[in-house]
Amino acid sequence: MEALFTTEIVKYRGDERLICEDTLVREIKLEIFVNDEKIGALMATPTDEQALAVGYLMSENIIAKVSDIQNIESQNDGMSVHIKAKIDEANLAKLNAEGVVISGCGRAHTANIDPEAIQASQINSKAKFSKTQILKQMGEFYTQCDLYEKTGCVHTAKLFVDEKSFFIGEDIAQHNTIDKALGKARLAGVDLQDCFLMVSGRLSSEMVAKAVMHKIPVLVSRTAPTCLGVMIARKFNLTLCGFAREDKINIYNGEFRIDE
């Protein structure tokens, strides 16, 4: 299914009335099946569906590593993803029993909200990034996001690997962008502990928890974190940066990974 479609709209420019075509982004319900069992559905943009499913399942600790996946395929014109994999049955049961509808766009569940309940270890990455490097990448961020450029209607995430390599996630749901970008990187075999992640929206608890679950050392946004987001970052040694724009950046935790 195409992610974009066009429709006729009325546009006013001052007193001038125009009939023109506008490009909009599609929204679908993406169903995720694991070992022939439907484990949930995400409201999503129909791009990178398999990466989204993998990123989501690894964010929730249901799949531990890519090598545990035996097969993955899309069905029903991209409306569902079917995965055969070795999974953590306890974490799947936890998601079903304790899942919370998260605060991003769409309706998805996570069991990774309570800092005391997150099953993750400390982030011990020695990676360091300069303020200049981070701000340069943030400045280029939107120019690399095709759906945003065409519609202005999606959230975006970017995983920086090096000056020549990065992975983009775009979706109507903010949390899906992280799962897409990290799902792509995981499937490509990238070591996430040497990367930093940029997002377009707020650093709420579920966004920070996803970075922690994937052991991303640095998470950066143009906007602010929530109190719970900062608490999670501090508990798991994640470097958390907000308001990164122009020559400014706020560091809420982990300044030791940010060079002058």
Side-chain angles (χ1 to χ4, degrees), residues 25-86:
V25 67
R26 290 187 191 274
E27 180 178 7
I28 66 167
K29 182 173 77 170
L30 178 68
E31 296 182 322
I32 300 175
F33 292 81
V34 179
N35 300 333
D36 298 321
E37 177 186 354
K38 180 180 173 181
I39 63 121
L42 305 173
M43 297 307 298
T45 302
T47 59
D48 306 315
E49 295 96 332
Q50 293 186 10
L52 170 57
V54 170
Y56 174 68
L57 293 169
M58 295 186 78
S59 293
E60 295 298 328
N61 243 2
I62 293 170
I63 294 178
K65 52 187 183 296
V66 170
S67 59
D68 288 337
I69 300 173
Q70 288 95 49
N71 186 57
I72 179 169
E73 62 180 35
S74 299
Q75 295 183 9
N76 303 320
D77 195 23
M79 299 289 285
S80 64
V81 175
H82 295 250
I83 296 174
K84 296 284 188 182
K86 175 185 174 183

Side-chain angles (χ1 to χ4, degrees), residues 56 59-60 94-95 98-104 108-120 175 202-210 212-213 226-233 235-236:
Y56 174 68
S59 293
E60 295 298 328
K94 178 183 175 185
L95 179 68
E98 303 177 18
V100 178
V101 177
I102 62 181
S103 62
H109 286 74
T110 181
N112 294 317
I113 293 293
D114 183 355
E116 301 305 317
I118 296 175
Q119 297 179 0
H175 47 277
R202 65 189 180 280
L203 297 167
S204 53
S205 58
E206 68 271 10
M207 304 289 278
V208 177
K210 286 181 184 294
V212 166
M213 297 304 293
T226 65
C227 175
L228 186 53
V230 173
M231 289 172 58
I232 293 171
K235 177 175 180 178
F236 293 101

